[in-house]
Amino acid sequence: MLELTLISVLTLVASIVGTVTGFGTSPIMIPVLLFWYPLPQALLLVGIIHWVGDIWKMILFRKGATWNLVLLFGIPSVLAAYAGARLTLATESTILLRILGAALIGYTFFLLFHSSWKLPRTNATAVTGGALSGLMAGIFGVGGAVRGAVLTAFDLPKHIYIFTAGAIALMTDSMRLLTYGIGNVNLPRELWYGMILFLPLSFIGAWLSKKIVGLVPERAFRQVVALFLAIIGLKFLLFP
C-alpha cells in the first residue's frame, strides 16, 4: 500500500513536470521505480501511464496541432522505438545513458553561451531527432529528453510544442508497449489495481500543467525546457 501511495504521488508530480517540459513522465518516474521493480516492469508501468498522458496532452493542448512535424518526427521515432524495445533486455544501458547525459548537458551549455544558435529547422533535423528519441525511448524509456532537445530547434509556441511532443510520444509509446507485450513483460497484480489511481492522477497533473504553462511567458519557456534538459542530463551522467 505504501508503494502504491508513493507511485501515485510520483505520477502526479511527473505528469505536471513532464507535460510542461514536453519530456513526459519517464525521466522522473523510471529512476525511482527501479528501486522496487526490474527495468522491463518499470518501463511497462511508466509506458502505460505515459501513453495515457500523451492522450491528455493532445486533448488539453489540441489547438497546437502541427501534423507535418508530428509525422516527420513520429514515423522514424516509431520504427526506432521498435528496434530499441527489442534490445531492452540485452543492452548494457549504463554507458549509453552516461553518454546521453553528457550530450544533453553539453547541448544546454552551448545554448546558454550561444543563445541565438539552434539546430537547423529542417526535415532532416526532424527525422534524425525522431529516430534518436525513438531509440532512447525503446531502450531506456527516456526519449522525451532527446525529443525536447530537438523540438527546441523549431521555436514552437508553447502550446504547439506540448501538443507536438504528446502526439509524437503517443506514436512511439504505442509501438514500444506492443513490443514489450510481445516480449511477455507483465506487471504484478497490485500495479494493475494501482492504475485506478495512477491514470486519473496523470490527467490531473496534465490539467494543472496547462494552468502553469499559461503563466509562463513565451520567451522564458525555452529556458525552462533547457533547464530541465540540464537536470536530466546531470542525472544520467552521474546516476545512470
Side-chain angles (χ1 to χ4, degrees):
M1 187 55 109
L2 177 60
E3 286 181 10
L4 292 182
T5 302
L6 292 174
I7 294 172
S8 297
V9 174
L10 180 64
T11 299
L12 179 62
V13 173
S15 181
I16 295 171
V17 175
T19 302
V20 170
T21 60
F23 297 172
T25 58
S26 299
I28 298 172
M29 292 192 71
I30 286 177
V32 178
L33 290 173
L34 288 176
F35 284 108
W36 297 312
Y37 303 103
L39 179 60
Q41 289 185 347
L43 288 174
L44 179 58
L45 172 60
V46 177
I48 294 170
I49 296 171
H50 201 285
W51 187 86
V52 174
D54 298 334
I55 295 175
W56 302 146
K57 289 178 198 173
M58 294 178 67
I59 292 173
L60 292 170
F61 296 90
R62 58 188 176 277
K63 293 182 180 179
T66 51
W67 293 109
N68 182 51
L69 183 57
V70 167
L71 293 176
L72 275 173
F73 205 110
I75 292 174
S77 183
V78 168
L79 297 175
Y82 172 77
R86 295 288 295 177
L87 292 171
T88 298
L89 299 178
T91 302
E92 172 51 53
S93 61
T94 302
I95 294 175
L96 290 177
L97 279 175
R98 287 189 191 277
I99 293 172
L100 174 61
L104 290 174
I105 292 172
Y107 180 69
T108 303
F109 273 99
F110 186 85
L111 288 180
L112 288 175
F113 292 103
H114 300 82
S115 58
S116 61
W117 184 90
K118 302 170 192 148
L119 287 167
R121 197 183 306 183
T122 63
N123 291 347
T125 297
V127 170
T128 304
L132 286 174
S133 67
L135 188 64
M136 293 298 102
I139 298 176
F140 311 119
V142 292
V146 178
R147 183 169 56 247
V150 177
L151 286 179
T152 55
F154 292 86
D155 258 348
L156 303 172
K158 52 194 178 184
H159 282 70
I160 295 177
Y161 171 87
I162 293 173
F163 176 91
T164 303
I168 294 167
L170 181 68
M171 298 168 66
T172 305
D173 291 335
S174 297
M175 175 56 74
R176 68 188 182 98
L177 285 176
L178 178 63
T179 308
Y180 298 151
I182 293 172
N184 293 320
V185 179
N186 207 347
L187 296 177
R189 183 179 299 175
E190 66 269 15
L191 290 182
W192 288 115
Y193 292 147
M195 293 294 178
I196 298 172
L197 292 174
F198 306 154
L199 299 185
L201 284 171
S202 73
F203 173 77
I204 294 171
W207 180 80
L208 289 173
S209 73
K210 185 176 182 180
K211 303 296 182 183
I212 294 169
V213 165
L215 301 175
V216 180
E218 291 282 358
R219 175 181 277 181
F221 186 69
R222 190 172 183 230
Q223 297 173 346
V224 171
V225 175
L227 173 63
F228 275 92
L229 277 175
I231 293 171
I232 295 299
L234 189 63
K235 190 272 169 197
F236 288 157
L237 181 62
L238 300 179
F239 311 104

